[in-house]
């Protein structure tokens, strides 16, 4: 609507409706037109739109605007830090409709000349466009796994004589995926080709396919799909070969032989048998990167990787007190229903006004409700936390006496993200040194495939966490997965504890814990190194001890 210049009042009415709809727990698909009109903040016009979607699974107004929008402009709408009004200006004034043409225009200084732009904005725009091009057709792990599982189920259903598995980066649980790879063992390849030709959601790339590999495109996401073919007796060998990274496959084993050579000798009946032939313990698929897994294997110190079932509580979550979709009680009740022993609520702090951050008087209101809920929820415990903003100078945005009222503090950066490495690193280290900081939240601020991380000296930040006893978060939201697993490994070497946190803004967000565990497992994370694998009583003592230490230093 902004792109096509709709009036501001109409746009505001949509935003207002969205704000209210995100907070309702009613299932919109089950409501009549009259019931939709009764929802606070939803007028007759918005109710009609929802009703149209309910009845037709589509929206004519949206489809009309979409048909007038070039695909390249839709891609440009994803540029980090640039809203529809700026994209509209570029489109109309410079007749630019692709990211490639946008970069060319930036290099010719045409964008800087536009009203409201300038040299710095032009450079940022060019960087953002290059980032999007570089990440084209990648999927977040969550979407890749979901798509992959659908394909596995569909292909498995074609015949009893087909064996299929996810493989490649999806099986190694990489944070972003391209392509989505599957391994299929079958003697009925024709059935598989027919499936790829006929599937509505797929475009079969016959010309790019060969006798051992079939390629397709998933139309709605643009994801590339690569299907490896093998004979049934080759399945285990090929699963191993297509799963492991090149570095893992080429690693020099005893006698200077590699896995690649080992796999040529015979067909194995299990991956365990392959490692046994190499005189090594089994290495989990997500560790097969060729980085540090062989050091563990050779020294017989292979970690017992963290399982979701070992997590006892969920820290770093938001409720309707700030920008969450569900009430504190609803978040706590669902957390308990999932079998967890405790919930760490940590709504946004006062600096995050855009997220309805908590002023001091509202903190007291929340703490009063937490006390009442704790009285009636039996053995389940809600811990009082806050996601305190790290200000530009590295300080937290509450006084020490307010910070002391919480059980734990998640310290995070949300603003002034355009920093150089020295500034960002110093800002984080000062926050880490604050005695009230318990957990460092999403340390690099990245949004995978959307926004680059601000640069930090990872070793310096992790060393500071080790020095001050601060826990580092693996933010489990699929778009963050921050801290990156490559750096989590160094944190584990330095003895830093990890907290797998969903940053849940609604009840369903708790299920993202799985993706955080995937990240931790890639780094070698165990339950003993995970703070929220502690029991309720254990973490209660941990928080209390930490607070007493902070009070003695404050």
């Amino acid at each position: 609507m902004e792109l096509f210049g709709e009036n501001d009042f109409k746009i505001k009415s949509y935003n207002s409706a969205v704000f209210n709809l995100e907070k309702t727990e009613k299932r919109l698909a089950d409501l009549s037109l009259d019931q939709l009109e009764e929802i606070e903040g939803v007028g007759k016009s918005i109710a009609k739109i929802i009703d149209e979607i309910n009845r037709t699974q589509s929206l004519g107004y949206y489809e009309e605007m979409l048909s007038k929008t070039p695909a390249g402009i839709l891609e440009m709408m994803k540029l980090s830090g640039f809203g529809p009004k700026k994209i509209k200006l570029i489109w109309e004034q410079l007749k630019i409709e692709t990211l490639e043409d946008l970069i060319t225009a930036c290099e010719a200084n045409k964008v800087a000349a536009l009203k409201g732009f300038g040299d710095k904005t032009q450079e940022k725009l060019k960087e953002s466009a290059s980032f999007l091009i570089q990440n084209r057709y990648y999927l977040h792990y969550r979407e890749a796994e979901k798509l992959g599982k659908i394909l596995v189920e569909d292909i498995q259903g074609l015949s009893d004589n087909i064996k299929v598995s996810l493989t490649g980066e999806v099986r190694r649980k990489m944070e972003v995926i391209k392509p989505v790879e599957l391994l299929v063992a079958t003697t009925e390849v024709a059935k598989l080709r027919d499936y790829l030709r006929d599937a509505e959601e797929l475009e079969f790339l016959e010309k790019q396919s060969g006798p051992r590999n079939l390629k397709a495109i998933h139309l709605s996401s643009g994801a590339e799909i690569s299907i490896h073919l093998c004979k049934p007796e080759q399945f285990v060998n090929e699963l191993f070969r297509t799963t492991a990274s090149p570095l893992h496959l080429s690693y020099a084993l005893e006698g200077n032989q590699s896995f690649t050579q080992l796999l040529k000798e015979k067909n194995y009946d299990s991956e365990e048998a392959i490692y046994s032939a190499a005189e090594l313990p089994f290495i989990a698929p997500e560790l097969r990167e060729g980085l540090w897994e062989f050091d563990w294997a050779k020294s017989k110190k292979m970690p017992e990787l963290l399982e979701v079932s070992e997590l006892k509580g969920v820290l770093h979550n938001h409720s309707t007190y700030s920008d969450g979709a569900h009430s504190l009680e609803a978040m706590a009740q669902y957390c308990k229903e999932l079998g967890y022993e405790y919930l760490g609520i940590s709504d946004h702090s006062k600096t995050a006004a855009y997220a309805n951050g908590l002023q001091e008087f509202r903190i007291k209101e929340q703490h009063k409700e937490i006390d009442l809920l704790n009285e009636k929820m039996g053995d389940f415990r809600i811990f009082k936390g806050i996601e305190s903003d790290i200000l530009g100078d590295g300080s937290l945005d509450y006084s020490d006496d307010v910070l002391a009222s919480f059980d734990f503090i998640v310290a995070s950066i949300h603003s002034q993200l355009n920093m150089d490495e020295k500034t960002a690193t110093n800002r984080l280290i000062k926050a880490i040194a604050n005695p009230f900081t318990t957990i460092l939240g999403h340390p690099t601020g990245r949004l995978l495939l959307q926004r680059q991380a601000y640069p930090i000296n990872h070793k310096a930040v992790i060393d500071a966490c080790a020095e001050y006893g601060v826990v580092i978060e693996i933010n489990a939201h699929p778009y963050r997965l921050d801290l990156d697993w490559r750096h989590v490994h160094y944190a584990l070497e330095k003895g830093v504890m990890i907290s797998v946190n969903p940053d849940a803004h609604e009840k369903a967000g708790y299920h993202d814990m799985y993706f955080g565990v995937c990240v931790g497992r890639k780094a070698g994370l165990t339950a003993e190194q995970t703070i929220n694998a502690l029991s309720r009583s254990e973490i209660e003592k941990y928080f209390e001890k930490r607070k007493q230490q902070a009070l003695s230093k404050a």
Side-chain angles (χ1 to χ4, degrees):
M1 289 167 69
E2 287 186 74
L3 189 67
F4 285 98
E6 281 283 7
N7 71 66
D8 287 344
F9 178 79
K10 193 173 181 180
I11 292 168
K12 284 178 182 175
S13 72
Y14 272 73
N15 282 327
S16 176
V18 167
F19 179 79
N20 285 284
L21 289 169
E22 284 182 338
K23 294 187 180 299
T24 184
E25 295 189 26
K26 296 175 182 176
R27 181 175 153 81
L28 302 183
D30 297 336
L31 303 182
S32 67
L33 180 59
D34 290 340
Q35 289 171 319
L36 288 166
E37 289 179 6
E38 292 173 5
I39 298 175
E40 184 182 351
V42 176
K44 288 189 175 182
S45 60
I46 300 291
K48 285 180 180 177
I49 283 165
I50 300 169
D51 186 58
E52 182 183 342
I53 294 170
N54 283 344
R55 287 183 291 101
T56 68
Q57 307 304 306
S58 184
L59 180 62
Y61 178 43
Y62 171 69
E63 296 298 334
E64 179 190 345
M65 285 192 291
L66 197 62
S67 68
K68 297 188 292 186
T69 312
I73 296 298
L74 288 175
E75 194 173 21
M76 286 168 63
M77 294 277 277
K78 299 175 184 175
L79 288 163
S80 177
F82 296 90
K85 290 181 180 177
K86 274 191 161 51
I87 303 304
K88 175 182 172 68
L89 196 63
I90 292 168
W91 184 17
E92 291 179 348
Q93 297 291 317
L94 299 179
K95 310 301 179 190
I96 287 172
E97 295 187 1
T98 69
L99 291 174
E100 286 82 0
D101 288 347
L102 177 59
I103 290 174
T104 301
C106 287
E107 290 171 345
N109 279 324
K110 292 181 180 179
V111 176
L114 293 175
K115 184 179 178 181
F117 282 80
D119 291 337
K120 286 186 178 179
T121 303
Q122 177 176 261
E123 186 58 32
K124 186 180 177 186
L125 192 64
K126 181 183 172 185
E127 288 177 7
S128 188
S130 298
F131 180 75
L132 283 184
I133 290 172
Q134 181 184 340
N135 288 285
R136 262 186 190 144
Y137 313 125
Y138 275 91
L139 288 187
H140 294 99
Y141 174 73
R142 176 176 63 182
E143 281 73 39
E145 184 192 53
K146 183 179 179 182
L147 171 59
K149 285 182 175 179
I150 291 170
L151 293 171
V152 166
E153 187 176 341
D154 286 353
I155 293 169
Q156 192 70 68
L158 296 176
S159 169
D160 291 337
N161 297 320
I162 286 179
K163 193 170 184 180
V164 58
S165 171
L166 292 172
T167 192
E169 291 181 346
V170 187
R171 192 161 180 246
R172 295 206 313 277
K173 296 178 168 46
M174 292 290 278
E175 60 271 35
V176 293
I177 308 289
K178 186 174 81 169
V180 176
E181 293 181 83
L182 289 83
L183 175 66
V184 178
T186 183
T187 56
E188 301 178 74
V189 178
K191 284 187 178 181
L192 184 55
R193 288 178 177 272
D194 288 342
Y195 162 73
L196 294 174
R197 289 190 192 99
D198 298 340
E200 290 185 6
E201 272 289 290
L202 302 177
E203 178 188 349
F204 181 32
L205 305 177
E206 295 202 50
K207 290 184 179 180
Q208 296 179 31
S209 300
R212 297 190 63 184
N213 187 267
L214 303 179
K215 294 186 180 294
I217 297 292
H218 183 246
L219 295 174
S220 61
S221 66
E224 299 173 3
I225 297 164
S226 180
I227 300 176
H228 304 277
L229 301 172
C230 70
K231 296 175 182 178
E233 63 269 21
Q234 299 172 321
F235 186 78
V236 170
N237 283 37
E238 286 303 295
L239 183 61
F240 188 97
R241 185 186 66 81
T242 55
T243 295
S245 73
L247 282 175
H248 189 89
L249 284 174
S250 62
Y251 183 81
L253 305 171
E254 292 297 325
N256 225 24
Q257 189 182 37
S258 69
F259 279 113
T260 302
Q261 294 164 318
L262 194 67
L263 294 173
K264 292 177 180 177
E265 294 178 358
K266 66 180 237 185
N267 291 322
Y268 292 87
D269 57 8
S270 70
E271 290 185 313
E272 286 83 356
I274 294 172
Y275 282 110
S276 180
E279 298 182 6
L280 291 170
F282 178 77
I283 297 174
E286 49 265 63
L287 290 176
R288 299 175 196 172
E289 297 290 349
L291 297 175
W292 42 71
E293 66 270 31
F294 292 109
D295 293 336
W296 290 329
K298 286 187 170 183
S299 61
K300 297 182 180 178
K301 293 180 180 178
M302 188 61 65
E304 194 168 321
L305 300 179
L306 177 70
E307 301 284 352
V308 173
S309 60
E310 293 179 291
L311 298 175
K312 300 295 192 296
V314 190
L315 305 174
H316 190 173
N317 306 282
H318 300 262
S319 72
T320 48
Y321 271 94
S322 61
D323 61 344
H326 295 121
S327 69
L328 174 57
E329 183 170 8
M331 292 293 284
Q333 192 59 48
Y334 188 58
C335 187
K336 184 179 180 181
E337 287 171 13
L338 290 176
Y340 291 107
E341 297 178 12
Y342 53 88
L343 166 69
I345 202 71
S346 47
D347 278 299
H348 283 287
S349 60
K350 63 181 180 180
T351 302
Y354 60 88
N356 194 30
L358 274 65
Q359 297 292 332
E360 283 82 352
F361 75 94
R362 294 183 62 232
I363 292 171
K364 292 179 181 177
E365 291 173 8
Q366 187 184 61
H367 286 183
K368 186 176 179 181
E369 182 179 353
I370 290 172
D371 289 338
L372 291 171
L373 287 170
N374 278 335
E375 285 178 15
K376 72 176 191 179
M377 292 193 74
D379 291 337
F380 186 83
R381 172 77 186 270
I382 303 170
F383 288 104
K384 300 167 183 172
I386 195 79
E387 186 177 17
S388 184
D389 265 39
I390 299 173
L391 303 178
D393 66 354
S395 59
L396 304 186
D397 63 341
Y398 291 119
S399 62
D400 285 353
D401 60 327
V402 175
L403 293 173
S405 70
F406 296 100
D407 295 314
F408 72 102
I409 309 289
V410 178
S412 307
I413 291 177
H414 291 109
S415 59
Q416 301 174 47
L417 305 181
N418 190 21
M419 301 175 284
D420 58 36
E421 182 180 305
K422 183 178 179 181
T423 301
T425 301
N426 289 341
R427 185 176 173 185
L428 286 173
I429 289 175
K430 183 173 177 182
I432 291 163
N434 187 310
F436 288 100
T437 297
T438 319
I439 301 171
L440 178 63
H442 45 74
T444 72
R446 74 179 184 183
L447 290 176
L448 292 165
L449 306 183
Q450 294 179 33
R451 181 177 77 202
Q452 288 181 306
Y454 41 77
I456 67 171
N457 182 325
H458 286 87
K459 286 192 173 182
V461 168
I462 291 166
D463 288 348
C465 287
E467 180 181 352
Y468 293 102
V470 169
V471 176
I472 294 181
E473 171 180 90
I474 293 177
N475 190 294
H477 191 285
Y479 287 17
R480 287 190 183 274
L481 302 181
D482 181 16
L483 189 65
D484 187 290
W485 58 270
R486 298 160 185 84
H487 300 297
V488 172
H489 176 73
Y490 178 72
L492 298 178
E493 285 190 326
K494 299 297 289 187
V496 176
M497 292 291 284
I498 301 297
S499 185
V500 179
N501 297 339
D503 200 353
H505 284 67
E506 58 181 345
K507 293 186 291 186
Y510 294 146
H511 298 290
D512 287 344
M513 294 284 273
Y514 163 73
F515 304 109
V517 169
C518 290
V519 168
R521 286 171 64 90
K522 287 192 70 62
L525 181 63
T526 67
E528 291 73 28
Q529 298 161 307
T530 308
I531 196 78
N532 52 319
L534 293 175
S535 68
R536 185 194 63 128
S537 59
E538 287 171 332
I539 203 162
E540 193 171 358
K541 291 173 185 173
Y542 178 90
F543 285 156
E544 183 58 32
K545 182 179 178 181
R546 180 85 185 161
K547 185 191 284 193
Q548 292 305 318
Q549 289 172 343
L551 289 169
S552 69
K553 295 174 184 176

